[in-house]
Amino acid sequence: MDRRREELEKKRKKLEELRRAREERINTMLAPSDGNGASSSSSGGGGRGAARRDIDDLVASLVGERSTTPTVTDGGSDAGSDKGVSTGSAIMSPSPSSAAIGTQPSPLAGAPRPVPEFTSVETVIFEIPSKERVVYNKEVQTVEGSFEPQGPSEEEIREQIRQELEKEEQLRQELLEAERQAAEEVVPQELPELTDEERKTVLQSNDFIEFVEHSSKFVERAMSEKYDFMKDYTLGLDDDTEDLNGNKMRLICSFHDERWSKNRSVTDVGWSHKHPELIVASYNKNPVAINEPDGIVCVWNEHLADRPEFVFHSQSDVLTVRFSDFHPNFVIGGTYSGQILLWDTRAKSLPVLKTHLSAGGHTHPVYALDMVGTQNAHNLISISTDGTMCSWQLDMLAQPQETLSLDYPSHQLTEEVAVTSFGFPDGETNAFWVGTEEGSVYQANRNARAGSQAGINTTYSYKGHHGPITGLHFHPLFGPVDFSDLYLTSSVDWTVKLWRKRSHAKAATPDNSTVLPLYSFETADDYMYDVKWSPSHPAIFGTVEGGGKFDVWNLNMDTEVPIMSEVVGTGKALNKLSWGKEGRHAAIGSSDGHVYVYDIGEMATPHNDDWDALQRTINEMISTQSHGNTVSTDF
């Protein structure tokens, strides 16, 4: 399109040049001339006629190609108005006289030439698109690949798969047959028989002994499982289950090892907080076996009754032992020499850490241990019989974090307080209560606080026992009612007493200097060696005595006699008691080296009204207690 326009522009310019040249010639011809001019024009007429013909031929070649007959087209014509381009141009229309002049020579050479007439016309150029030419091949138009050979049919595929499976099976059978023949051809190699010396070396090697010790425990645990695999659940309850739901207890298992427990007494027992089936027990020395360690700590498993899981050694009698509340692999013990020992179940039998026998720590027997604090900040508290309290961090037993001397200046014999047991109320880390050899209970503080100083609070004392106190335990904090201000004590005076701690200090006067117990349980006929609250039932606690009896009390049912009583083992003295985490199982340590585990059944499960019933019972005890030197309104 652009190229066409350029051609038209070029032609338009040529026409304008020709028009100007023609006008100049016309003007020259019409101008007046003299005789010379006429003669000269007459004489030169032939040359000018030839030049004019040449111009006419050029104009005819440029314009006259489209139409032999000159026409005048109106620019406003409808024909091609929407596609044509209207262009103004001047087209010469020769007259008949001029045509005759252009084609024939004038008869009169001297006659004047006629002037040609010019007409201005407008030309319209149309852009007509070329017709599209459709070209195609004469062939069958079908989908590509439609003439390719077809695949196998469904039956052929099935047959091919069946043949492949048969071939694989045949190949597998041939392989098995080849392996069987190869195995028959191989001559079995006879293992060399060990000599007596080699056999003895293997049996006495440490690797073999450790392997047998470790692997045989798994087998014994499985064999000691007492689950009844033939139990028929379609039948009714048996007699044992019905008795267990009532006021009956049953012995689950007992632990004793001829090598480690023989001729020793159990001095303390405790349960693992992480693994409820593990029980730790401490033992004193065996006077017969002088080559064995003086102190022994055994970790027993309820599913492994014939031997202990771990055995730890000590150079002195172990008087108290416990699992760490926050480190399940740590076992902590207090000894007769005053050392605090730390064993690790991942290590050997010897302690991994221990305190030094120096003035900075304990130099007298340690009968009680306790842990206070949280997972991230906790301390081990120990008190020896010379009245020295030490606070330790388990990862640094070389030096105590704090040391406090528990002195009572108004004591009749000596200022030192011989502590045999102590306890912290739940949630308390500063104030604690200690039981002494003289039979009194004192409240003490680890650090000075408002209104009191560190050490024993001499403002008042708890008096009621007439012999050394063997056990002291605070009521655990659980349930809708808070009974953490109650605690029990046991003594060699054959009694167990219930106390309520003072909530505030008052000036020392004869009226409130001595606190009496809320209640005294006096049914025993021998020394009372330990007492513990149940961790699941608010009104239940257990006691053990020197006559071999294990008693279970429920204050909501009866305060005069225990609801359950059992003679344990052969009737030897029972030294320590510890309840399991769920409150159903009770571990009891005996003076003959046995550890017994009893199940008290559904009695350990509390009811919703047990807390309210215990509250009523305590209020009745407060209202009916004897008035000695204690004023009940101080509580």
Side-chain angles (χ1 to χ4, degrees):
M1 187 70 180
D2 296 336
R3 183 169 51 83
R4 183 65 176 172
R5 289 179 180 176
E6 292 177 358
E7 292 178 357
L8 292 175
E9 290 293 334
K10 292 178 180 180
K11 291 181 179 181
R12 188 179 300 111
K13 291 178 180 180
K14 291 182 179 180
L15 287 176
E16 290 178 356
E17 292 177 356
L18 294 175
R19 187 180 299 112
R20 286 194 302 269
R22 185 179 298 111
E23 288 177 355
E24 291 176 357
R25 288 193 299 272
I26 291 173
N27 292 332
T28 305
M29 293 174 63
L30 294 179
S33 59
D34 50 8
N36 297 331
S39 60
S40 62
S41 60
S42 299
S43 62
R48 285 192 298 269
R52 191 167 44 252
R53 284 194 300 270
D54 293 339
I55 292 172
D56 292 338
D57 293 338
L58 178 60
V59 172
S61 64
L62 293 176
V63 180
E65 292 179 355
R66 297 182 180 270
S67 173
T68 57
T69 304
T71 60
V72 178
T73 305
D74 189 4
S77 175
D78 294 335
S81 62
D82 37 2
K83 289 188 180 181
V85 178
S86 180
T87 304
S89 59
I91 302 175
M92 184 181 65
S93 177
S95 61
S97 60
S98 63
I101 293 172
T103 54
Q104 296 179 0
S106 178
L108 298 177
R113 288 181 61 85
V115 179
E117 294 180 1
F118 294 92
T119 304
S120 177
V121 298
E122 187 174 350
T123 304
V124 179
I125 301 173
F126 295 93
E127 292 290 337
I128 301 175
S130 60
K131 185 177 181 181
E132 183 180 1
R133 183 180 181 185
V134 180
V135 179
Y136 64 93
N137 297 328
K138 295 181 179 180
E139 62 183 10
V140 179
Q141 298 180 357
T142 57
V143 179
E144 184 179 358
S146 60
F147 291 98
E148 295 180 357
Q150 299 294 329
S153 63
E154 183 178 355
E155 294 296 333
E156 293 176 351
I157 294 174
R158 290 182 179 179
E159 182 65 22
Q160 183 178 359
I161 294 174
R162 186 181 62 80
Q163 293 177 1
E164 291 178 355
L165 292 177
E166 291 179 355
K167 186 180 297 184
E168 290 180 1
E169 180 65 21
Q170 182 180 0
L171 185 61
R172 190 178 66 83
Q173 293 294 339
E174 293 178 356
L175 184 59
L176 292 176
E177 183 65 22
E179 291 179 354
R180 186 183 63 81
Q181 294 178 0
E184 292 178 354
E185 294 176 357
V186 174
V187 178
Q189 183 179 2
E190 296 182 359
L191 296 177
E193 185 177 355
L194 297 177
T195 62
D196 295 341
E197 187 67 23
E198 293 175 343
R199 188 182 297 107
K200 185 177 180 180
T201 302
V202 172
L203 295 178
Q204 293 180 353
S205 63
N206 293 330
D207 294 340
F208 181 79
I209 294 174
E210 291 179 0
F211 168 75
V212 174
E213 288 286 335
H214 183 71
S215 58
S216 59
K217 288 179 183 179
F218 297 102
V219 180
E220 293 184 21
R221 289 175 196 164
M223 295 178 64
S224 62
E225 183 65 40
K226 297 180 180 180
Y227 179 75
D228 186 9
F229 297 95
M230 301 299 294
K231 187 174 183 178
D232 189 356
Y233 293 99
T234 60
L235 302 178
L237 297 175
D238 52 14
D239 295 337
D240 294 338
T241 307
E242 292 176 356
D243 292 340
L244 191 59
N245 292 333
N247 295 335
K248 296 294 182 181
M249 66 176 70
R250 64 187 180 94
L251 177 66
I252 297 178
C253 57
S254 62
F255 305 105
H256 185 268
D257 187 87
E258 284 295 326
R259 178 182 177 185
W260 302 114
S261 304
K262 188 177 181 180
N263 298 325
R264 297 179 186 268
S265 297
V266 179
T267 57
D268 199 4
V269 291
W271 292 82
S272 172
H273 298 273
K274 178 68 174 179
H275 307 287
E277 70 276 6
L278 296 183
I279 305 169
V280 62
S282 59
Y283 300 83
N284 58 6
K285 69 176 59 177
N286 182 0
V288 178
I290 59 176
N291 294 326
E292 292 184 357
D294 289 345
I296 291 294
V297 173
C298 294
V299 178
W300 301 93
N301 191 330
E302 286 184 321
H303 306 291
L304 184 64
D306 294 336
R307 57 175 173 162
E309 285 278 353
F310 305 99
V311 178
F312 302 117
H313 299 168
S314 171
Q315 295 178 353
S316 179
D317 296 13
V318 183
L319 303 180
T320 179
V321 71
R322 62 177 294 126
F323 277 103
S324 173
D325 295 348
F326 309 105
H327 304 85
N329 297 109
F330 290 171
V331 178
I332 310 164
T335 64
Y336 187 80
S337 64
Q339 282 186 307
I340 306 299
L341 307 179
L342 176 65
W343 296 278
D344 193 334
T345 57
R346 298 165 295 185
K348 299 296 182 180
S349 58
L350 295 178
V352 295
L353 290 175
K354 59 183 177 180
T355 62
H356 298 295
L357 292 174
S358 63
H362 295 297
T363 56
H364 287 70
V366 177
Y367 281 94
L369 295 172
D370 202 355
M371 295 195 73
V372 294
T374 61
Q375 173 72 34
N376 298 324
H378 54 271
N379 294 98
L380 174 69
I381 308 298
S382 62
I383 303 179
S384 57
T385 56
D386 63 346
T388 301
M389 187 216 74
C390 294
S391 174
W392 311 85
Q393 286 188 350
L394 295 184
D395 57 351
M396 189 176 62
L397 295 181
Q399 189 73 18
Q401 296 296 309
E402 58 179 294
T403 303
L404 179 65
S405 180
L406 303 178
D407 298 330
Y408 194 75
S410 60
H411 197 275
Q412 298 178 358
L413 301 178
T414 177
E415 294 183 358
E416 294 181 353
V417 177
V419 179
T420 57
S421 60
F422 76 97
F424 283 83
D426 278 0
E428 180 65 55
T429 60
N430 186 58
F432 59 95
W433 277 251
V434 296
T436 62
E437 287 184 355
E438 65 187 74
S440 300
V441 178
Y442 299 102
Q443 187 266 329
N445 299 315
R446 292 175 56 194
N447 304 302
R449 58 169 52 176
S452 62
Q453 60 183 0
I456 290 181
N457 186 355
T458 59
T459 304
Y460 54 87
S461 61
Y462 301 82
K463 295 185 181 296
H465 285 293
H466 302 284
I469 295 176
T470 56
L472 186 151
H473 190 231
F474 274 89
H475 195 288
L477 180 59
F478 67 94
V481 182
D482 183 7
F483 294 109
S484 61
D485 58 342
L486 301 177
Y487 66 94
L488 292 165
T489 57
S490 60
S491 174
V492 297
D493 63 356
W494 299 12
T495 63
V496 171
K497 299 187 184 299
L498 175 64
W499 308 80
R500 192 175 187 185
K501 68 183 181 69
R502 294 285 289 270
S503 59
H504 61 277
K506 296 185 65 176
T509 62
D511 294 335
N512 64 1
S513 60
T514 301
V515 181
L516 298 179
L518 288 180
Y519 198 83
S520 180
F521 306 93
E522 302 177 354
T523 61
D525 53 3
D526 209 327
Y527 296 160
M528 300 298 295
Y529 282 114
D530 201 6
V531 60
K532 289 292 192 309
W533 286 103
S534 169
S536 60
H537 197 291
I540 288 181
F541 65 90
T543 62
V544 291
E545 61 179 59
K549 284 198 306 182
F550 168 46
D551 296 334
V552 177
W553 298 74
N554 189 334
L555 299 181
N556 292 340
M557 298 180 66
D558 198 339
T559 59
E560 298 294 334
V561 294
I563 59 172
M564 290 184 287
S565 183
E566 183 79 13
V567 177
V568 179
T570 58
K572 298 293 183 180
L574 305 178
N575 297 332
K576 286 296 179 179
L577 167 68
S578 180
W579 291 99
K581 185 178 181 180
E582 297 180 355
R584 287 180 59 104
H585 295 173
I588 303 168
S590 174
S591 59
D592 60 356
H594 285 76
V595 176
Y596 302 93
V597 179
Y598 277 85
D599 188 351
I600 66 172
E602 297 299 327
M603 182 62 65
T605 304
H607 300 285
N608 294 331
D609 58 345
D610 283 332
W611 280 267
D612 295 334
L614 179 60
Q615 185 67 58
R616 292 192 296 268
T617 302
I618 298 300
N619 292 335
E620 291 176 1
M621 290 180 179
I622 294 175
S623 62
T624 59
Q625 74 175 9
S626 59
H627 291 280
N629 295 329
T630 305
V631 180
S632 62
T633 57
D634 291 339
F635 299 106

